[in-house]
């Protein structure tokens, strides 16, 4: 057993995925024997949050501080260099496997009250494969406490470039606006992408563009949005439903030695949403939220 705990392999047709116990992360997704997502060795922790589930908030929370219903709260700073709390409370927890079928697995985490998080939240994630439609990931969060709770969800899959250097990779992002960040990587405004290097709505080769940027104003088609990463050797599409109003895009020259990758991260809310309220979900006692996203190969 590797550092990420038990592994749950699912398959359908030419699709195969591996989900890990620690963090309920997507360790790998392959189609016809080819990796669509980046992976990592058994004896390593997931590099740069590879495949992680980000709950009950995605991305960064400035200084780990927020006020909710008049109560000031302080979370541990899990990004000490920038002074932020980053990527939630589920990354290093062992999630329980509730059901493992040949083509699907469901994992559960009860996020208990703790310093900076005085709420009770249950999160269930179902990874499923379809021989025609590829990978889908459905998340349900339920407030099991007696008081309302703030909530956001995000996911951190890295799409492979199929060996191509980032300069030669084409990325399509269906976003009208880019988040403007300060030195702590926390949003301080928004910028229309028209006329900027960040207008990727029609797809553009990266060349020298490198990103760790958030986007919003997402364009959807029949209730879904689509982002793509492709090179001359192949590609993949990330789809997401309308519960995800933000995307974080992170280009990495070497996720593991010799392996470039591009993270396309669906998020329900903006970074620092516990303070700004941008996209924040408020769950009343016993109320649930659900959202879905997935990955498909591009031919």
């Amino acid at each position: 057993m590797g550092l990420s705990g038990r592994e749950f392999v699912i398959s359908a047709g030419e699709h195969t995925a591996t989900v890990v116990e620690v963090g309920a992360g997507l360790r790998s997704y392959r189609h016809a024997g080819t990796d669509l997502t980046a992976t990592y060795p058994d004896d390593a922790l997931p590099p740069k949050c590879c495949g992680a589930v980000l709950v009950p908030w995605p991305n960064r929370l400035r200084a780990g501080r927020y006020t909710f219903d008049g109560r000031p709260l302080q979370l541990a700073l899990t990004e000490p260099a920038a002074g932020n709390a980053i990527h939630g409370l589920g990354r290093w927890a062992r999630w329980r496997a509730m059901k493992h079928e040949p083509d699907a697995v469901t994992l559960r985490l009860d996020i208990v009250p703790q310093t900076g998080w005085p709420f009770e939240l249950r999160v269930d994630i179902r990874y499923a494969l379809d021989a025609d439609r590829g990978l889908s990931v459905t998340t349900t969060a339920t407030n099991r406490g007696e008081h309302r709770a703030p909530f956001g969800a995000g996911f951190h899959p890295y799409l492979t470039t199929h060996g191509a250097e980032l300069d030669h990779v084409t990325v399509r992002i269906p976003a009208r606006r880019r988040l403007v960040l300060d030195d702590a990587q926390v949003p301080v405004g928004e910028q229309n992408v028209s006329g900027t290097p960040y207008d990727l709505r029609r797809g553009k080769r990266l060349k020298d563009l490198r990103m760790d940027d958030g986007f919003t104003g997402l364009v959807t088609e029949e209730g879904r949005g689509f982002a793509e990463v492709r090179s001359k050797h192949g590609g993949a599409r990330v789809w997401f439903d309308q519960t995800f109003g933000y995307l974080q895009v992170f280009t990495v020259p070497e996720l593991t030695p010799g392996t470039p990758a591009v993270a396309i991260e669906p998020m329900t809310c903006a970074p620092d949403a516990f303070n700004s309220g941008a996209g924040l979900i408020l769950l009343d006692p016993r109320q649930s939220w659900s959202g879905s996203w997935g990955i498909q190969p591009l031919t």
Side-chain angles (χ1 to χ4, degrees):
M1 186 167 64
L3 296 184
S4 293
R6 296 171 60 198
E7 294 187 343
F8 306 95
V9 177
I10 57 176
S11 62
E14 295 187 292
H15 303 266
T16 304
T18 300
V19 178
V20 294
E21 175 187 34
V22 176
L26 178 65
R27 181 174 176 187
S28 68
Y29 173 36
R30 309 190 86 200
H31 174 254
T34 299
D35 285 317
L36 297 184
T37 63
T39 186
Y40 50 90
D42 280 345
D43 60 354
L45 295 173
K48 299 185 184 297
C49 213
C50 182
V53 174
L54 316 176
V55 291
W57 74 88
N59 213 286
R60 295 164 175 87
L61 179 59
R62 186 188 299 279
R65 297 182 190 135
Y66 64 105
T67 297
F68 189 73
D69 284 346
R71 181 179 182 180
L73 297 163
Q74 175 69 63
L75 288 153
L77 302 185
T78 47
E79 190 184 40
N84 297 315
I86 190 169
H87 288 337
L89 301 171
R91 285 176 62 195
W92 306 115
R94 290 189 187 273
W95 293 56
R96 287 180 289 156
M98 306 305 294
K99 190 174 185 179
H100 187 193
E101 305 165 275
D103 60 354
V105 61
T106 299
L107 294 99
R108 171 177 291 176
L109 180 66
D110 287 314
I111 305 177
V112 299
Q114 56 198 275
T115 301
W117 174 260
F119 313 104
E120 294 185 61
L121 194 71
R122 171 168 288 178
V123 183
D124 291 283
I125 298 180
R126 183 176 189 265
Y127 292 89
L129 287 174
D130 181 90
D132 297 320
R133 294 185 292 273
L135 177 69
S136 63
V137 185
T138 299
T139 303
T140 302
T142 303
N143 182 355
R144 294 172 58 84
E146 300 302 320
H147 305 281
R148 72 172 188 160
F151 176 74
F155 298 84
H156 212 299
Y158 283 89
L159 302 186
T160 65
T161 66
H162 299 274
E165 295 182 358
L166 291 178
D167 299 38
H168 306 296
V169 172
T170 296
V171 175
R172 176 178 175 263
I173 304 296
R176 293 185 291 261
R177 298 189 300 279
R178 169 179 168 258
L179 304 182
V180 179
L181 309 177
D182 63 10
D183 291 341
Q185 292 289 95
V186 175
V188 292
E190 295 182 3
Q191 174 193 50
N192 192 310
V193 300
S194 296
T196 77
Y198 300 95
D199 190 349
L200 306 173
R201 288 173 287 183
R202 295 186 177 181
K204 187 171 73 172
R205 185 167 292 187
L206 287 176
K207 297 182 180 179
D208 60 353
L209 179 64
R210 299 295 179 267
M211 291 177 282
D212 189 2
D213 291 272
F215 294 85
T216 190
L218 304 182
V219 178
T220 59
E221 304 168 14
E222 298 182 353
R224 285 188 176 185
F226 301 90
E228 297 177 356
V229 174
R230 67 166 73 228
S231 71
K232 66 179 181 180
H233 303 297
R237 166 186 293 150
V238 173
W239 63 265
F240 48 91
D241 69 20
Q242 290 178 305
T243 62
F244 293 93
Y246 296 81
L247 291 176
Q248 185 81 10
V249 181
F250 184 27
T251 55
V252 182
E254 283 197 322
L255 182 66
T256 56
T259 306
V262 180
I264 304 290
E265 309 167 38
M267 304 187 301
T268 61
C269 60
D272 203 37
F274 281 14
N275 287 307
S276 70
L280 185 64
I281 297 165
L282 299 175
L283 292 175
D284 290 325
R286 307 299 181 262
Q287 184 180 5
S288 294
W289 165 90
S290 185
S292 297
W293 66 280
I295 304 175
Q296 300 168 330
L298 291 174
T299 58

